Amino acid sequence: PRDVWGKNSDGDFAYTFETSSGSRYNITVYPRTHPGVGEYKTLSFADDSGSFKVTGAGSAIEVFSNVCAATVAIIKKRDMDLLHFTAAEESRRRVYDRLVRTVAKVMPGYVAVAVTNPGSPKAYLVGKRDRIDEINAAVQSLSAGVGKLETLVS
C-alpha cells in the first residue's frame, strides 16, 4: 500500500503504512468537541487488528519513525491548532512522551503538554504556541482540576 494520508469510510483523515516485516498500522485523526475547549482533533494509532497495545514486536523504531513523520505531516498539511491523543498503559505512555517531544521539537511554533488524571489515560496535547490560552483551557477542562500537568516542550 502507498503511504499517504487519505480519508476512511467515516470521512476522517487516515494513514496506513506497512513495515518492512509486513505488519500494517493505521493512524486516524478525527474531530472531537469538548466543553470549554471547542473543536479539536484526536489522533489514534493501532495495528491492523485494531489493537492499541505496544507489542515490542521488533520493528518499534520503524513504526515510531512512521508515526512521527505522519503526525508532523498531518499537523502541517491541515494547519492544526490542537492535536490530542491518550495513552492508558505505561508502554504506550513512554512511546507518546517521545512522540510529542519529537513532533513539537521539529515544529518550532508548537508546544506539547500532558495531563495525568488518577485512574484515567494520560492525555497529550500538541498545539500552536500562539494558542497557548486555548491549550491551557483544554488542559484545565481535560484534567477537571485534579490532574497532574507536565510540560513536555514549551
PDB file of all heavy atoms in Angstrom, residues 5 10 17 29 42 51 63 66 68 76 86 96 123:
ATOM      1  N   TRP A   5      -1.747  10.131   3.418  1.00  0.00           N
ATOM      2  CA  TRP A   5      -2.942  10.459   4.184  1.00  0.00           C
ATOM      3  C   TRP A   5      -4.109  10.482   3.220  1.00  0.00           C
ATOM      4  O   TRP A   5      -4.038  11.057   2.152  1.00  0.00           O
ATOM      5  CB  TRP A   5      -2.809  11.828   4.853  1.00  0.00           C
ATOM      6  CG  TRP A   5      -2.057  11.779   6.144  1.00  0.00           C
ATOM      7  CD1 TRP A   5      -0.750  12.130   6.318  1.00  0.00           C
ATOM      8  CD2 TRP A   5      -2.538  11.367   7.411  1.00  0.00           C
ATOM      9  NE1 TRP A   5      -0.394  11.944   7.627  1.00  0.00           N
ATOM     10  CE2 TRP A   5      -1.478  11.480   8.329  1.00  0.00           C
ATOM     11  CE3 TRP A   5      -3.767  10.898   7.865  1.00  0.00           C
ATOM     12  CZ2 TRP A   5      -1.604  11.157   9.674  1.00  0.00           C
ATOM     13  CZ3 TRP A   5      -3.902  10.576   9.210  1.00  0.00           C
ATOM     14  CH2 TRP A   5      -2.825  10.700  10.101  1.00  0.00           C
ATOM     15  N   ASP A  10     -15.472   6.800   7.360  1.00  0.00           N
ATOM     16  CA  ASP A  10     -16.182   7.777   8.200  1.00  0.00           C
ATOM     17  C   ASP A  10     -15.878   9.220   7.788  1.00  0.00           C
ATOM     18  O   ASP A  10     -16.415  10.157   8.375  1.00  0.00           O
ATOM     19  CB  ASP A  10     -15.814   7.594   9.670  1.00  0.00           C
ATOM     20  CG  ASP A  10     -16.288   6.275  10.229  1.00  0.00           C
ATOM     21  OD1 ASP A  10     -17.341   5.780   9.778  1.00  0.00           O
ATOM     22  OD2 ASP A  10     -15.601   5.724  11.121  1.00  0.00           O
ATOM     23  N   PHE A  17       0.291   2.349   6.984  1.00  0.00           N
ATOM     24  CA  PHE A  17       1.624   2.017   6.487  1.00  0.00           C
ATOM     25  C   PHE A  17       1.955   0.584   6.858  1.00  0.00           C
ATOM     26  O   PHE A  17       1.346  -0.010   7.735  1.00  0.00           O
ATOM     27  CB  PHE A  17       2.683   2.999   7.020  1.00  0.00           C
ATOM     28  CG  PHE A  17       2.896   2.954   8.514  1.00  0.00           C
ATOM     29  CD1 PHE A  17       3.876   2.133   9.060  1.00  0.00           C
ATOM     30  CD2 PHE A  17       2.133   3.739   9.358  1.00  0.00           C
ATOM     31  CE1 PHE A  17       4.079   2.103  10.425  1.00  0.00           C
ATOM     32  CE2 PHE A  17       2.333   3.725  10.722  1.00  0.00           C
ATOM     33  CZ  PHE A  17       3.306   2.893  11.268  1.00  0.00           C
ATOM     34  N   VAL A  29      -7.100  10.477  12.392  1.00  0.00           N
ATOM     35  CA  VAL A  29      -7.294  11.776  13.029  1.00  0.00           C
ATOM     36  C   VAL A  29      -8.747  12.164  12.801  1.00  0.00           C
ATOM     37  O   VAL A  29      -9.205  12.233  11.665  1.00  0.00           O
ATOM     38  CB  VAL A  29      -6.345  12.843  12.441  1.00  0.00           C
ATOM     39  CG1 VAL A  29      -6.651  14.217  13.023  1.00  0.00           C
ATOM     40  CG2 VAL A  29      -4.893  12.466  12.702  1.00  0.00           C
ATOM     41  N   THR A  42      -8.339  14.534  17.386  1.00  0.00           N
ATOM     42  CA  THR A  42      -7.766  13.451  18.179  1.00  0.00           C
ATOM     43  C   THR A  42      -7.104  12.454  17.239  1.00  0.00           C
ATOM     44  O   THR A  42      -7.650  12.123  16.185  1.00  0.00           O
ATOM     45  CB  THR A  42      -8.857  12.752  19.014  1.00  0.00           C
ATOM     46  OG1 THR A  42      -9.301  13.652  20.024  1.00  0.00           O
ATOM     47  CG2 THR A  42      -8.327  11.501  19.692  1.00  0.00           C
ATOM     48  N   SER A  51      -5.599  -3.272  17.566  1.00  0.00           N
ATOM     49  CA  SER A  51      -5.025  -3.232  18.911  1.00  0.00           C
ATOM     50  C   SER A  51      -4.222  -1.953  19.117  1.00  0.00           C
ATOM     51  O   SER A  51      -3.459  -1.539  18.247  1.00  0.00           O
ATOM     52  CB  SER A  51      -4.106  -4.443  19.130  1.00  0.00           C
ATOM     53  OG  SER A  51      -3.416  -4.310  20.364  1.00  0.00           O
ATOM     54  N   VAL A  63       8.234   1.697  13.208  1.00  0.00           N
ATOM     55  CA  VAL A  63       6.863   2.137  13.465  1.00  0.00           C
ATOM     56  C   VAL A  63       6.874   3.550  14.040  1.00  0.00           C
ATOM     57  O   VAL A  63       6.138   4.429  13.576  1.00  0.00           O
ATOM     58  CB  VAL A  63       6.136   1.159  14.424  1.00  0.00           C
ATOM     59  CG1 VAL A  63       4.799   1.723  14.876  1.00  0.00           C
ATOM     60  CG2 VAL A  63       5.955  -0.193  13.757  1.00  0.00           C
ATOM     61  N   ASN A  66       7.627   6.166  11.409  1.00  0.00           N
ATOM     62  CA  ASN A  66       6.465   6.396  10.548  1.00  0.00           C
ATOM     63  C   ASN A  66       5.397   7.221  11.248  1.00  0.00           C
ATOM     64  O   ASN A  66       4.819   8.133  10.655  1.00  0.00           O
ATOM     65  CB  ASN A  66       5.860   5.061  10.089  1.00  0.00           C
ATOM     66  CG  ASN A  66       6.462   4.551   8.811  1.00  0.00           C
ATOM     67  OD1 ASN A  66       6.187   5.071   7.746  1.00  0.00           O
ATOM     68  ND2 ASN A  66       7.303   3.538   8.928  1.00  0.00           N
ATOM     69  N   CYS A  68       5.751   9.325  13.802  1.00  0.00           N
ATOM     70  CA  CYS A  68       6.229  10.707  13.972  1.00  0.00           C
ATOM     71  C   CYS A  68       6.106  11.493  12.673  1.00  0.00           C
ATOM     72  O   CYS A  68       5.571  12.607  12.662  1.00  0.00           O
ATOM     73  CB  CYS A  68       7.683  10.722  14.438  1.00  0.00           C
ATOM     74  SG  CYS A  68       7.905  10.404  16.180  1.00  0.00           S
ATOM     75  N   LYS A  76       0.994  19.780   9.770  1.00  0.00           N
ATOM     76  CA  LYS A  76       1.391  20.808   8.807  1.00  0.00           C
ATOM     77  C   LYS A  76       0.387  20.926   7.662  1.00  0.00           C
ATOM     78  O   LYS A  76      -0.015  22.021   7.296  1.00  0.00           O
ATOM     79  CB  LYS A  76       2.781  20.496   8.244  1.00  0.00           C
ATOM     80  CG  LYS A  76       3.903  20.794   9.198  1.00  0.00           C
ATOM     81  CD  LYS A  76       5.239  20.520   8.550  1.00  0.00           C
ATOM     82  CE  LYS A  76       6.385  20.905   9.467  1.00  0.00           C
ATOM     83  NZ  LYS A  76       7.685  20.651   8.841  1.00  0.00           N
ATOM     84  N   THR A  86      -4.435   9.990  23.671  1.00  0.00           N
ATOM     85  CA  THR A  86      -4.346   9.448  25.031  1.00  0.00           C
ATOM     86  C   THR A  86      -3.586   8.132  25.020  1.00  0.00           C
ATOM     87  O   THR A  86      -3.491   7.455  23.993  1.00  0.00           O
ATOM     88  CB  THR A  86      -5.740   9.201  25.639  1.00  0.00           C
ATOM     89  OG1 THR A  86      -6.442   8.270  24.828  1.00  0.00           O
ATOM     90  CG2 THR A  86      -6.527  10.491  25.774  1.00  0.00           C
ATOM     91  N   TYR A  96       4.341   7.724  23.563  1.00  0.00           N
ATOM     92  CA  TYR A  96       3.718   9.021  23.288  1.00  0.00           C
ATOM     93  C   TYR A  96       4.496  10.172  23.907  1.00  0.00           C
ATOM     94  O   TYR A  96       4.511  11.268  23.351  1.00  0.00           O
ATOM     95  CB  TYR A  96       2.267   9.030  23.753  1.00  0.00           C
ATOM     96  CG  TYR A  96       1.315   8.357  22.785  1.00  0.00           C
ATOM     97  CD1 TYR A  96       1.766   7.721  21.639  1.00  0.00           C
ATOM     98  CD2 TYR A  96      -0.038   8.365  23.022  1.00  0.00           C
ATOM     99  CE1 TYR A  96       0.901   7.116  20.755  1.00  0.00           C
ATOM    100  CE2 TYR A  96      -0.930   7.769  22.144  1.00  0.00           C
ATOM    101  CZ  TYR A  96      -0.445   7.150  21.010  1.00  0.00           C
ATOM    102  OH  TYR A  96      -1.315   6.564  20.133  1.00  0.00           O
ATOM    103  N   ALA A 123      -3.455  12.115  28.931  1.00  0.00           N
ATOM    104  CA  ALA A 123      -3.880  12.892  27.763  1.00  0.00           C
ATOM    105  C   ALA A 123      -2.727  13.767  27.287  1.00  0.00           C
ATOM    106  O   ALA A 123      -2.048  14.404  28.093  1.00  0.00           O
ATOM    107  CB  ALA A 123      -5.077  13.762  28.115  1.00  0.00           C
TER     108      ALA A 123
END
